[in-house]
Amino acid sequence: MAAMLATDEELRTLIVTQLELVDTAEFEKAQQMAVRLKIPLERALAERGRIPLAFLLAQLAQAWDVGFIELKVGDVQLAALQTVREEYARSHGVVPFECQDRTLKVAMTNPRDRLIIREMAQMTKYEVVPYLAPEGNIRRAQLLYKGNLRDMLERSALRASTAITPPAKAG
């Protein structure tokens, strides 16, 4: 899956200089951890307990002038999902989650990748609006390409909404 492409310098400027969430020493410790564990720096910052990942990603999205979504399975419209092939979505770290009129909202690990945005626009004939989303959320949403999972979720939701619970006894 494609990795998010925030540079260390972008993160340093945002986290240390602009938002002042950590100092330079803490940032450098997170950098060392990221290198040692071979994980993205933003994840190392979150795992050190200094900055919640969703907050960090929302701040990055704002700095990049794109939307941010903590994508949940329930956010994904079936019609949107069907606009992009599963293989393409998995190999490029994307999930189309909403289509309305001629606009397709797409959760991406790298919403600044103009090539992928152009390709999806050509494939789908929609105007593609990129959203930054956590990689794990994108992977979970990609499971919806397996039709039987979607059916199970829909049946489960239907059962939950029609379940009858007895009234509580006054006591």
Side-chain angles (χ1 to χ4, degrees):
M1 176 170 287
M4 187 177 65
L5 298 178
T7 66
D8 286 11
E9 207 44 52
E10 280 180 300
L11 287 169
R12 179 186 305 277
T13 300
L14 180 68
I15 303 304
V16 177
T17 307
Q18 294 175 352
L19 298 175
E20 299 177 351
L21 295 173
V22 298
D23 60 18
T24 302
E26 182 61 35
F27 186 85
E28 288 171 359
K29 287 178 187 173
Q31 277 182 306
Q32 292 166 358
M33 177 182 169
V35 169
R36 188 176 66 250
L37 299 178
K38 296 180 175 124
I39 61 174
L41 177 55
E42 58 275 3
R43 193 166 137 214
L45 285 162
E47 287 189 11
R48 287 184 60 79
R50 303 295 183 210
I51 306 165
L53 184 60
F55 175 79
L56 175 58
L57 295 180
Q59 296 304 308
L60 272 174
Q62 187 175 352
W64 292 347
D65 198 29
V66 297
F68 171 74
I69 183 166
E70 275 197 83
L71 189 66
K72 295 172 183 56
V73 170
D75 295 332
V76 181
Q77 296 174 349
L78 182 58
L81 192 67
Q82 293 172 338
T83 62
V84 175
R85 291 182 338 272
E86 178 180 5
E87 301 78 33
Y88 185 90
R90 288 187 185 281
S91 66
H92 292 87
V94 301
V95 171
F97 64 92
E98 183 180 314
C99 58
Q100 189 173 21
D101 300 321
R102 296 306 310 155
T103 302
L104 180 65
K105 294 180 181 178
V106 180
M108 306 176 70
T109 54
N110 182 8
R112 298 187 299 175
D113 190 328
R114 295 291 163 212
L115 177 61
I116 291 175
I117 293 168
R118 252 192 324 273
E119 283 178 353
M120 284 191 298
Q122 288 173 343
M123 282 188 309
T124 64
K125 307 295 187 238
Y126 282 91
E127 175 192 344
V128 174
V129 180
Y131 281 74
L132 177 60
E135 183 178 4
N137 295 28
I138 289 174
R139 286 184 186 190
R140 273 189 296 282
Q142 287 171 340
L143 294 173
L144 292 173
Y145 279 106
K146 307 296 181 208
N148 55 349
L149 176 64
R150 176 171 280 282
D151 292 341
M152 275 183 3
L153 290 171
E154 288 173 354
R155 281 194 306 271
S156 175
L158 181 62
R159 274 194 299 261
S161 67
T162 58
I164 300 172
T165 56
K169 292 184 179 179

